[in-house]
Amino acid sequence: GSADYRDSGLRFPEGFLFGSATASYQIEGAAQEDGRRPSIWDTFARTPGKVLGGDTGDIADDHYHRWAEDLDIVRDLGLDAYRFSIAWPRIQPTGSGEANQAGLDFYSRLVDGMLERGITPIATLYHWDLPQPLEDAGGWPERETAHRFAEYAALVGAALGDRVRTWTTLNEPWCSAFLGYGAGVHAPGRTEPLAALRAAHHLNLAHGLGIQALRGVVPGDPDYSVTLNFAVLRGEEEAVRQIDAVANRVFTGPLLKGAYPEDLLADTASVADWSFVQDGDLVDIAQRIDLLGVNYYNTALVALWDGTGVKESADNHGDTAASPYPGADRVQFLPQPGPYTEMGWNIAPDGLEELLLSLRRQFPDQPLMITENGAAFDDVLEDGHVHDAERLDYLRRHFTAAHRALEQGVDLRGYQVWSLLDNFEWAYGYSKRFGIVHVDYETLARTPKDSALWYSELARTHVLPE
Ligand code: GBH
């Protein structure tokens, strides 16, 4: 019906890029092979109490050795694109200096493997695996890290630029800055509000310098992009404004408008004087991008807390002492109506439609790509099948939402489902399965779930299946 987004028969445009996404640390394993050295996630996962069950990415899906089988799956499903990320510590094991050829060779084989199978590569340079030596030197709160990133980008661009035509600098810099340095629930696990704001700025700078570096070495005119996770906010106006500032506009402001929002600077004045923003930075940051990558999972409901009673914290971060929202200490996150995924996140396809329309309003000429959307559920592998009806329904509803945005004129170029494979779900380890393909962590066998078969039909026909 129209109210619940459970449609079928909708047709997606010619050229719409159907694909799926992964990230290096979550799937590759082979953590010590061919010269790779630790990233901040190797260190964090080894710190007791940080990752559920003490899980690490040491083996993960063993994609480093099974990449050809994984690309066969993408081809057999008939998907157009595969969004993957490059592990910086494979390319520069110490975070600087010349490239480790074995690391470049891995991604070169992977890209060739995609092209041989007719799959469009979408490469992300940074999906959270910072080389540990760069964190030891201060990490993202230090300006130097942005310059190191640009050097790394140039090495990868020079090696793969003849074949990769869609480049993403960063995945979800909000998570890197505010979950990594503010709330401390992601690597490197620091809880310093000022460091989180400095990290956000230096991630923005890394993006801008990274694009400039890529332009210098990549031939022709590929698509450049950055992927952001957007907070889709409902609730009390002043609370919405504050979280919108420190979750969304702290990135879209400098990246797409060339300025940090005035209200963000005011909200955070007691934490930061923003003197780490130097002359010329905003020009460096606001590089034209060909695509804005959109990651969407759920909505948030916020209100101001009056300082009495218990502050609500339904965002899963309130149970840690530190907040990922500097300058918004009076905002509380309220419980939302279900249904929920296994992460406890509310299922709200209307939030995706609303987000796409709001981005079109704010940035009218900016082409968009959904670079992540998906859900974790408790899957059961039985007789070679996973009947993941809830995930299939989640995807149907969100594809319907995307289609509604297309009908209203949003320039949406494609949709990458998170994730191709069950994988290392960060602080939750292997306990949460987001894949459309099941991975047996004993045998590492891959089994496409019902949702993958359904998605395969959508990708082949461009029509939302029954
Ligand atoms: C993405 O992160 C990552 O890019 C990907 O690597 C990861 O595996 C995937 O999504 C699934 O988690 O915390 O209740 O307030 C998403 C991170 C998830 C952060 C939603 C903000 C808001 C819900 N975002 N979250 S809540």
Side-chain angles (χ1 to χ4, degrees), residues 26 127-128 171-172 174-175 229 295 297-298 314-317 345 372 418 425-426 434:
Q26 296 182 271
H127 199 128
W128 308 354
N171 176 74
E172 300 192 349
W174 182 81
C175 293
N229 60 301
N295 290 0
Y297 290 90
N298 65 343
D315 64 345
N316 294 345
H317 305 303
W345 300 346
E372 285 182 30
W418 185 269
E425 178 50 29
W426 305 115
F434 274 89

Side-chain angles (χ1 to χ4, degrees), residues 17-46:
L17 220 52
F18 292 99
S20 65
T22 64
S24 46
Y25 190 71
Q26 296 182 271
I27 65 165
E28 285 180 357
Q32 308 193 31
E33 235 166 286
D34 290 341
R36 185 187 180 280
R37 308 255 299 141
S39 74
I40 54 175
W41 268 97
D42 297 76
T43 306
F44 190 72
R46 277 182 171 56

Side-chain angles (χ1 to χ4, degrees), residues 165-240:
R165 308 313 291 163
T166 306
W167 290 94
T168 305
T169 52
L170 310 173
N171 176 74
E172 300 192 349
W174 182 81
C175 293
S176 298
F178 295 100
L179 297 183
Y181 294 91
V185 296
H186 279 189
R190 289 165 59 180
T191 51
E192 305 159 35
L194 173 57
L197 292 171
R198 292 174 57 100
H201 177 61
H202 295 135
L203 283 152
N204 284 327
L205 185 60
H207 159 84
L209 298 177
I211 290 210
Q212 293 176 55
L214 287 171
R215 286 199 215 281
V217 296
V218 173
D221 188 24
D223 285 345
Y224 293 112
S225 67
V226 62
T227 280
L228 303 177
N229 60 301
F230 290 93
V232 177
L233 300 158
R234 280 90 193 264
E236 203 178 318
E237 195 178 328
E238 172 60 11
V240 167

